[in-house]
Amino acid sequence: MNHNPKIIGASIPRLDGKDKVTGRALYTDDLKFPGMLYGALHRSRLPHARIKKVDTSAAKKIKGVKDVVTGADTPQIKYGNWRLVPGSQDELPLAVDKVRFIGDEIAAVCAVDRETAIKAAEAIEVEYEELPAIYSVEEATAEGAPLLHDESPGNVSLTREISYGDLEGLLAQADYVREDFFKVHAVSHAYLEPCSSIAVPEEGGRVTLYTSTQTPYIVQCLLASTLDIPENHVRVVKTQVGGGFGGKMEMRPWEFAAAFMALRTGRPVKFTLTRSDELAFGRRRHPMSIRSKVGFTKDGKLLAKDFEVMLDGGAYNAMGPTATFLCGTFGNMLYNFQAYRYRGRHVYTNKPPASAMRGFGAPQAAFAQESQMNMAAEELGIDPIDLRLINAMETGDVIPDVATISSCGFKESLEKVRQVSGWDAKRKEKKPGVGLGIGCFSFISGGVFNWFNTKYNFAAAEVTVYPDGTAQLNTMACDIGQGPDTVLRQILAAELGIGIEKIRLVSMDTALTPKADLGTWGSRVTLMNGNAIIDAAKKIKDMLKPVLFDHLDLNQIHEIAFEDDRVLVKANPKKSMSFGECVYHALRGRRGEPLTARGYYTPRDKGLVSPAFSFGAQVAEVAVDQDTGLVTVTNTYTAHDCGVAINKMAVEGQLEGAIQMGLGYTLSEAFVMEQGRTLNTSFLDYKMPAAEDMPPSTYVEVETYEPEGPFGAKEAGEGLAIPTAPAIADAVYQATGFRALELPITPEKVLKGIGRLK
Amino acid sequence: MAKEIIELIVNGDRYEVAVEPWRTLAEVLREDLNLTGTKIGCNQGDCGACTVLMEGRSVSSCLTLAAEAHQREIVTIEGLAQGPEDLHPLQEAFVEHGAVQCGYCTPGMILSAKHLLDHNPTPSEQEIRQGLSGNLCRCTGYSKIVEAIGAAAAKMAPAGEGE
Amino acid sequence: MPNMPRFNFHRPGTMEEALDLVSRFRASVKVMCGGTDLVPKMRAGVAVAENVVSLTRVPGLSTISYRDDDGLVIGGTARISDVARHPDVRRHYPALAYACDKMATVQIRNMGTVAGNLANAAPSADTAAPLLAYGASLVLVERGGRRQVPLEDFFTGPGLTVAEPMEIIEAIRVPAPPLRSGSAYLRVSARSKVDIAAVGVAAALNLDLEGRVIGVRIALAAVGPTPLRARQAEDMLMEQIPDHDLLARAGAACVRTAKPIDDVRASANFRRAMVQTLAQRVLARCGRLARGEDAQ
């Protein structure tokens, strides 16, 4: 753990901060190109219908309209992120035969200005044959339910099963068995920047897309396949992105429409969504119906678990298959037990597709699992933290068929959160209307399972060093606000021993940065890109070291170090030269070839799920007004094992932001839907917490060293979004006696739960 | 329903712009004056990303008709710093305290904070949170934003008045 | 989202000019001040008018003044934030100050006016309930003259009022509070701190020296097509000592007055329960203020 504490673990302010506080940072909608046209979409007005006719004649007649396209004009190639299973690719950029949710994209227009484009999109007439629609997994899987996709009988697009150990036998011999049913709802990513994309046509039928995305490489590949042009004809450039949280990790119809019409018109085309588009039609977190059955010994040893989940996927697969897989994995995390059975089904309904959202199946699975642990603890007469300690995973534990846990600070997290929250004393003193509850989490640091079927390494970095002592880092890694533009430069600076300000970053341009990077999701960026950068930097250092041996005539046993912009002999630091000078000498012998190295990372021999796992525990304190049912979270305490935090301030930022999202998920955020139509399409009625709603948060680090992570780091972005719901639900139970098995915990549910409202 | 020539005084600069009556100040700032630091997050007056100061008051520029801003003094995020390298104490504090993540809410947050400190130079934490009632953030959980505003207030307060 | 509809925009510099404009365009005109209600409504296609008349440049219309004998006068273009911070409003009209402090957002309070909040006639209008409880009236002016309309006669339905298109709200007049009186306003919604009210209850209560109720007005927000007076509950309280039991019964009477609906913000059932809870809390607080037990 030989690293520079001035860089690794330091709270270095983000390097793009200054641009962002002065308004200079450019997001996609801030860009304009000469001759640029403005796009608009015509979306389905029905939840389920066959398209009989799309009449674009009136739209085409409007002055200023430059192009109008429907599905019929396009190559009609289906797409989806799960390229590994082509049958799962169920979406068309513009619908051809059928629409499956209110908002399904049918046609696109572009015009000289936004107003004309909107007018033209509204002038498109669609003749439908309305089909019966279904809005819940229960309806969708019922006998004789109408089918959304002919290829998916029973509306189940995918099933994942896991099974090991003697489930029935262990449940039969358990002293205590309970079975519970949980329901969780959809929420919006609610990133502040609505999606925006600009396609610029290039010579030779090529196109450059500036877009608000967290996965430029995925967009490049899927845009090329849906346009039916070579992958290398598409260049994706990510601008500043105003948040993603999983909502910007697929190719989107407007990206296709912008590129398709840019190629047809020879002019740049921009699409920018509105907030009401985002809330009415946008991706969201999967609602789930969960059944969980667990068996314990009387002294609290968890023996077996039977876990069944139905995911409400909406109209298309989107990232649903991954969520279906991961739910099974997360149902199996945190605790050791001998038998496990999981059955996850991804179900189609006539609603906007659900997809990846911060936690990727884990917030839902954990709400069930952690609530059930709290319920079991009460009936077993064991303190909930003690019950967890009895069963908690430790470093070296094996999750069958998944992974070996190479670092785990779960037990320490439990002990620390117990101490810092004053758990023991507060749980003993019972005050009506006040309560304290707990929820725990574990999360992946990037995925191993190659559903995108990339032929490239999962992460790549190109490092070039210059005789003036500076370096350039080229990476496709994606900063969407969480901070890798800073954190990855910290890693390179630490490895090369140069100042962070010496590093120029070129990122997120698929034409300029090495192949590939799968993007920002699954909390993969720090670990995977960090490792790729270290790999590249080590190669650079290997090219520089001989210079010192030559110039100082060193014995071959010496070790060379890179520190404080110098290259030096470890045993005798006075023997050194500046980093730039060293590069200068190294270049002299290379006959004009720059000093560049590429590094890569793909997890090897790390199981099927993830190379490393974070752990943690959170305690929430609430006050419940028993007359209004309003729940106020008065405090949160979190202990978190994210390995070595590369940037402490950035980790704290993830924690505090995750609590806001967790709070909204638990208490106030929900889509109000009627017959497939979303009724609350503004932030006035989609209620995410504001500054005044936020509780104080106390944060304790549990530092472990993750051997697979760069400088010992692992994920810090998503795991923290998981524990808040079960912790608050438990606290509400302690305060009122009402145990919420469904989210969100609205004032109305609380009042009903305590018998104050019929 | 013709265009009207209006005069805007933005960050001390005088602009003449021909606008249709239904266009908003946010649109005109971004599209006609190329001052894209003002963000549009909802266009419904709920998120605060488009906040600017008009005659010293924070307003939602997505709800303000540009024609209504005729001859008004407007300050946008681009006008807060004195020079390119010279950040306003609020801007500096936002960077130093990690109050910026994706940055999309940041310009509006800073201008709401400016409005708050102009009226209340030594706000309590609760008053800061109330002062941000019209600004939503999805990344930070607001903690570091509140912290940064407190720090900027302390720095800006005349000697002896700060915390 | 559809395009904003087309309209002509007028920025009169005097009241006379403003009245001329609304009179001339009365067939299709909207009066605007901050635009916080009108702009989103037009954008959503809910409000359409060929002419929009902005009052922001009419001089003298934004004054807020108070006299012990005459009460409070809030000018037609006085901003909500200015009303909220006015010392006389804070001292004498705590329910109104509370509403003006809590409603919407800082930016909207900086732009919007109390008159606009009333003219908009949303059932959930935050300033309406306290002003009804205070017995406020509106001064409506048109080219030919002016009339005073009690606020309780002003609202006729969601978004509808008795004001004619050519009339402008010149001022809101609120009587001075009598001795031994107290007033309060409370609201609830799912997002606890910053939100539109799902239910609001305001009341103003006046006691005699023995602590009997000699005057009371209760107003309910967001539980009917307009803000409502809860007369049955008021009658029940008159001449009585407002003890806990009576307040509970008065709360129940308020529930009987309420005509809530299910919508995206709350169910009717929940709203009824909240009317009971808030009415009891508001009336209890009014009683304590009137008896001098609570500081404002």
Side-chain angles (χ1 to χ4, degrees):
Chain A
M1 301 140 276
N2 160 23
H3 54 67
N4 184 348
K6 276 185 290 185
I7 297 184
I8 299 299
S11 286
I12 294 178
R14 50 184 311 135
L15 300 169
D16 57 5
K18 204 166 169 181
D19 279 354
K20 286 178 172 174
V21 298
T22 52
R24 290 199 293 257
L26 292 175
Y27 300 77
T28 304
D29 190 57
D30 299 338
L31 304 179
K32 271 190 216 172
F33 290 85
M36 190 172 82
L37 302 172
Y38 294 80
L41 293 163
H42 183 94
R43 296 170 178 274
S44 172
R45 300 198 165 112
L46 293 178
H48 198 190
R50 216 167 282 291
I51 299 173
K52 292 177 74 178
K53 194 177 157 206
V54 183
D55 181 357
T56 59
S57 54
K60 282 178 175 155
K61 278 187 205 129
I62 294 171
K63 213 171 151 227
V65 171
K66 296 297 170 188
D67 200 6
V68 182
V69 294
T70 70
D73 302 311
T74 67
Q76 304 185 17
I77 295 166
K78 287 188 176 179
Y79 70 100
N81 275 5
W82 269 51
R83 292 200 304 186
L84 188 67
V85 183
S88 75
Q89 296 185 292
D90 57 0
E91 225 167 330
L92 282 167
L94 295 175
V96 174
D97 53 341
K98 242 180 120 172
V99 285
R100 297 177 177 88
F101 71 97
I102 293 176
D104 215 350
E105 293 83 0
I106 295 174
V109 303
C110 58
V112 291
D113 58 40
R114 195 178 48 229
E115 297 208 324
T116 308
I118 291 171
K119 209 161 102 187
E122 283 172 352
I124 292 170
E125 299 274 351
V126 180
E127 209 179 297
Y128 299 101
E129 177 197 331
E130 194 165 358
L131 299 169
I134 40 179
Y135 306 113
S136 71
V137 291
E138 289 79 14
E139 285 174 80
T141 52
E143 232 359 74
L147 285 190
L148 270 82
H149 298 263
D150 295 340
E151 307 77 21
S152 297
N155 290 311
V156 175
S157 73
L158 179 125
T159 302
R160 189 199 183 193
E161 289 180 355
I162 305 173
S163 179
Y164 65 81
D166 176 16
L167 183 85
E168 302 302 336
L170 284 164
L171 285 177
Q173 78 182 64
D175 300 315
Y176 171 68
V177 175
R178 67 174 303 135
E179 183 175 32
D180 298 289
F181 296 85
F182 301 90
K183 261 196 166 170
V184 290
H185 65 306
V187 286
S188 172
H189 305 87
Y191 36 72
L192 260 282
E193 181 214 11
C195 289
S196 179
S197 306
I198 305 171
V200 181
E202 314 274 1
E203 48 77 30
R206 296 179 179 84
V207 64
T208 294
L209 185 77
Y210 298 83
T211 189
S212 176
T213 183
Q214 48 190 99
T215 51
Y217 171 64
I218 287 178
V219 173
Q220 179 198 8
C221 297
L222 296 180
L223 191 52
S225 66
T226 48
L227 290 170
D228 201 17
I229 60 177
E231 204 165 286
N232 202 26
H233 274 29
V234 176
R235 173 184 178 190
V236 174
V237 181
K238 187 188 78 70
T239 54
Q240 289 286 0
V241 173
F245 312 109
K248 296 176 178 172
M249 70 167 291
E250 299 165 62
M251 189 202 85
R252 282 76 52 90
W254 50 92
E255 291 173 324
F256 172 87
F260 189 61
M261 294 194 295
L263 289 170
R264 282 163 59 105
T265 60
R267 292 170 71 167
V269 179
K270 176 195 268 190
F271 278 80
T272 299
L273 267 55
T274 64
R275 179 58 52 189
S276 53
D277 291 338
E278 291 278 4
L279 287 170
F281 318 123
R283 300 294 205 229
R284 53 215 44 213
R285 179 176 282 161
H286 283 91
M288 294 189 196
S289 300
I290 303 173
R291 179 184 69 84
S292 181
K293 188 175 185 181
V294 283
F296 290 85
T297 65
K298 61 181 181 309
D299 45 10
K301 182 85 194 92
L302 180 56
L303 297 174
K305 182 173 185 176
D306 185 10
F307 200 53
E308 193 180 357
V309 177
M310 277 211 278
L311 295 90
D312 182 347
Y316 299 99
N317 270 325
M319 284 302 292
T322 311
T324 312
F325 267 61
L326 287 178
C327 264
T329 303
F330 293 124
N332 198 8
M333 290 298 299
L334 287 175
Y335 311 110
N336 291 305
F337 42 94
Q338 297 163 41
Y340 180 54
R341 183 169 68 193
Y342 170 71
R343 183 166 183 238
R345 280 177 290 166
H346 184 264
V347 181
Y348 288 130
T349 57
N350 294 108
K351 296 189 292 194
S355 193
M357 179 170 165
R358 201 177 195 175
F360 232 163
Q364 299 100 317
F367 176 66
Q369 162 171 292
E370 289 299 287
S371 292
Q372 203 171 31
M373 283 301 271
N374 292 330
M375 290 149 84
E378 185 179 28
E379 293 206 351
L380 286 162
I382 301 173
D383 177 89
I385 292 183
D386 290 333
L387 182 67
R388 286 171 169 87
L389 286 167
I390 292 168
N391 297 290
M393 281 179 169
E394 292 180 296
T395 303
D397 280 344
V398 175
I399 311 164
D401 302 329
V402 171
T404 299
I405 305 291
S406 44
S407 68
C408 175
F410 185 31
K411 285 188 169 172
E412 296 89 320
S413 297
L414 286 163
E415 299 287 9
K416 283 201 174 166
V417 85
R418 161 177 257 159
Q419 187 201 341
V420 72
S421 66
W423 175 267
D424 291 337
K426 285 180 188 164
R427 285 281 283 209
K428 265 190 213 114
E429 89 183 285
K430 293 253 175 198
K431 269 195 265 173
V434 179
L436 189 75
I438 187 165
C440 301
F441 67 93
S442 171
F443 200 72
I444 56 173
S445 308
V448 176
F449 183 52
N450 185 11
W451 41 259
F452 192 63
N453 201 19
T454 179
K455 304 292 183 280
Y456 298 106
N457 275 292
F458 286 11
E462 183 182 278
V463 175
T464 306
V465 290
Y466 300 96
D468 56 10
T470 66
Q472 177 160 322
L473 170 60
N474 288 19
T475 170
M476 223 185 271
C478 232
D479 197 326
I480 56 172
Q482 86 280 33
D485 280 0
T486 304
V487 166
L488 296 180
R489 271 185 274 188
Q490 281 178 263
I491 290 173
L492 181 60
E495 189 63 36
L496 287 182
I498 60 174
I500 192 168
E501 73 290 348
K502 300 270 167 65
I503 301 167
R504 165 186 272 275
L505 179 74
V506 174
S507 66
M508 306 158 300
D509 179 328
T510 61
L512 297 182
T513 55
K515 289 264 183 300
D517 183 85
L518 294 176
T520 293
W521 52 266
S523 290
R524 55 183 299 288
V525 180
T526 300
L527 186 139
M528 296 206 181
N529 280 279
N531 281 338
I533 288 166
I534 289 175
D535 182 31
K538 286 199 161 128
K539 289 174 186 165
I540 292 278
K541 290 190 334 189
D542 285 343
M543 292 190 264
L544 293 176
K545 283 173 188 172
V547 172
L548 233 66
F549 283 88
D550 285 355
H551 278 252
L552 303 173
D553 195 20
L554 300 176
N555 184 319
Q556 51 99 357
I557 62 160
H558 274 294
E559 293 293 338
I560 305 298
F562 292 74
E563 284 168 21
D564 298 327
D565 295 300
R566 299 196 73 76
V567 186
L568 47 93
V569 179
K570 260 192 188 166
N572 184 359
K574 278 187 196 141
K575 288 192 165 182
S576 71
M577 67 173 71
S578 78
F579 184 84
E581 195 185 348
C582 190
V583 174
Y584 172 82
H585 290 300
L587 273 175
R588 300 267 296 192
R590 290 171 67 85
R591 315 261 308 166
E593 188 186 339
L595 254 160
T596 296
R598 284 191 171 175
Y600 301 100
Y601 179 77
T602 300
R604 305 285 179 201
D605 208 14
K606 294 302 291 181
L608 256 186
V609 175
S610 179
F613 298 83
S614 69
F615 293 89
Q618 188 170 76
V619 167
E621 247 175 320
V622 304
V624 183
D625 181 330
Q626 309 215 42
D627 294 321
T628 62
L630 278 174
V631 176
T632 305
V633 179
T634 51
N635 239 317
T636 61
Y637 308 89
T638 312
H640 179 208
D641 157 28
C642 65
V644 174
I646 305 280
N647 187 324
K648 285 210 167 70
M649 192 157 73
V651 171
E652 286 164 21
Q654 289 296 310
L655 167 79
E656 290 154 359
I659 289 174
Q660 191 259 15
M661 215 177 250
L663 199 66
Y665 183 46
T666 314
L667 297 177
S668 60
E669 291 177 35
F671 288 106
V672 184
M673 295 191 75
E674 200 176 86
Q675 303 289 302
R677 183 179 307 282
T678 304
L679 303 179
N680 52 338
T681 60
S682 72
F683 278 146
L684 185 61
D685 285 318
Y686 183 87
K687 296 176 190 302
M688 68 169 174
E692 277 186 89
D693 297 312
M694 292 301 298
S697 61
T698 303
Y699 169 65
V700 203
E701 268 177 68
V702 173
E703 197 152 291
T704 59
Y705 187 90
E706 169 54 50
E708 185 72 6
F711 298 109
K714 50 188 178 182
E715 83 87 23
E718 292 182 83
L720 292 161
I722 300 167
T724 310
I728 293 174
D730 190 33
V732 169
Y733 173 71
Q734 298 300 321
T736 64
F738 164 58
R739 171 77 68 186
L741 303 180
E742 289 185 16
L743 293 177
I745 307 172
T746 58
E748 190 158 349
K749 278 189 201 155
V750 172
L751 288 185
K752 282 182 177 158
I754 60 176
R756 300 285 292 269
L757 190 69
K758 278 185 223 62
Chain B
M1 304 186 195
K3 285 188 179 182
E4 182 198 4
I5 301 215
I6 58 162
E7 184 186 332
L8 299 175
I9 303 122
V10 185
N11 305 327
D13 297 323
R14 198 177 148 279
Y15 298 85
E16 272 187 3
V17 209
V19 298
E20 285 115 343
W22 49 87
R23 292 188 71 213
T24 63
L25 179 59
E27 288 165 3
V28 170
L29 287 171
R30 290 177 52 77
E31 293 163 10
D32 298 47
L33 307 189
N34 289 319
L35 293 168
T36 53
T38 299
K39 302 301 180 201
I40 295 178
C42 71
N43 225 15
Q44 295 163 316
D46 300 321
C47 81
C50 69
T51 303
V52 300
L53 302 180
M54 185 156 87
E55 301 291 310
R57 289 167 182 257
S58 61
V59 299
S60 301
S61 63
C62 76
L63 296 185
T64 304
L65 295 180
E68 187 68 276
H70 175 54
Q71 289 178 340
R72 301 292 198 217
E73 290 262 5
I74 289 152
V75 176
T76 70
I77 193 68
E78 289 92 343
L80 211 54
Q82 297 305 309
E85 290 307 310
D86 194 13
L87 296 183
H88 183 277
L90 274 165
Q91 293 173 313
E92 206 166 75
F94 266 61
V95 175
E96 290 304 314
H97 289 263
V100 180
Q101 285 190 33
C102 87
Y104 204 77
C105 76
T106 305
M109 283 282 178
I110 290 177
L111 289 166
S112 281
K114 171 87 165 57
H115 172 82
L116 172 72
L117 298 188
D118 287 347
H119 288 81
N120 179 3
T122 55
S124 66
E125 183 190 326
Q126 192 53 30
E127 287 167 333
I128 295 174
R129 288 181 184 272
Q130 286 165 356
L132 301 178
S133 67
N135 293 78
L136 294 172
C137 170
R138 193 53 152 177
C139 299
T140 65
Y142 309 97
S143 304
K144 297 200 185 304
I145 293 174
V146 172
E147 213 176 278
I149 295 169
K155 200 168 165 188
M156 289 161 72
E161 272 182 48
E163 283 158 274
Chain C
M1 181 158 287
N3 285 321
M4 277 262 254
R6 276 72 191 110
F7 54 83
N8 291 307
F9 186 71
H10 309 274
R11 237 177 1 235
T14 65
M15 194 57 160
E16 226 162 57
E17 221 184 301
L19 292 173
D20 277 349
L21 285 165
V22 291
S23 169
R24 177 154 29 117
F25 298 124
R26 68 186 139 206
S28 186
V29 68
K30 295 273 181 202
V31 172
M32 187 177 105
C33 209
T36 56
D37 277 319
L38 192 57
V39 170
K41 272 190 175 170
M42 290 193 297
R43 195 176 275 138
V46 184
V48 186
E50 277 170 34
N51 292 280
V52 172
V53 177
S54 165
L55 298 183
T56 47
R57 314 212 176 205
V58 175
L61 209 54
S62 63
T63 324
I64 304 164
S65 65
Y66 175 80
R67 286 199 350 230
D68 280 333
D69 54 344
D70 198 28
L72 178 71
V73 182
I74 301 170
T77 63
R79 307 278 178 204
I80 293 161
S81 55
D82 290 335
V83 174
R85 74 169 74 97
H86 195 279
D88 288 315
V89 173
R90 300 198 84 82
R91 188 174 313 124
H92 301 294
Y93 305 94
L96 179 62
Y98 182 86
C100 291
D101 262 344
K102 297 293 172 192
M103 66 182 286
T105 67
V106 177
Q107 294 90 323
I108 285 175
R109 299 195 293 266
N110 278 340
M111 302 164 73
T113 60
V114 174
N117 190 232
L118 298 175
N120 185 42
S124 61
D126 270 297
T127 61
L131 286 170
L132 276 172
Y134 289 126
S137 49
L138 302 181
V139 182
L140 301 179
V141 55
E142 63 177 305
R143 211 159 48 152
R146 54 171 52 72
R147 59 175 175 147
Q148 191 156 329
V149 180
L151 186 58
E152 60 178 292
D153 299 333
F154 182 65
F155 303 112
T156 55
L160 300 172
T161 70
V162 300
E164 299 291 339
M166 64 285 198
E167 284 182 312
I168 287 173
I169 301 176
E170 185 183 48
I172 301 147
R173 304 190 73 97
V174 196
L179 280 176
R180 286 178 303 280
S181 66
S183 60
Y185 175 57
L186 286 175
R187 64 212 288 279
V188 288
S189 76
R191 178 162 55 197
S192 53
K193 305 285 170 38
V194 185
D195 210 347
I196 189 164
V199 179
V201 178
L205 190 72
N206 186 14
L207 303 178
D208 68 10
L209 282 166
E210 277 76 50
R212 258 188 295 272
V213 176
I214 51 170
V216 60
R217 281 195 209 84
I218 304 171
L220 314 177
V223 288
T226 65
L228 301 170
R229 274 281 294 279
R231 288 186 192 278
Q232 208 185 10
E234 292 171 5
D235 291 346
M236 199 180 271
L237 289 162
M238 280 301 278
E239 310 295 330
Q240 305 294 314
I241 306 271
D243 59 14
H244 180 269
D245 191 47
L246 179 61
L247 295 192
R249 282 186 286 128
C254 289
V255 175
R256 288 194 290 278
T257 300
K259 295 174 192 65
I261 54 163
D262 291 316
D263 69 10
V264 298
R265 288 169 194 146
S267 72
N269 216 9
F270 176 71
R271 286 192 156 108
R272 272 188 284 270
M274 287 309 97
V275 168
Q276 172 86 44
T277 296
L278 295 187
Q280 272 178 253
R281 286 185 183 179
V282 159
L283 287 166
R285 165 95 173 139
C286 289
R288 289 195 303 274
L289 284 169
R291 291 187 295 270
E293 294 162 13
D294 270 10
Q296 277 184 9

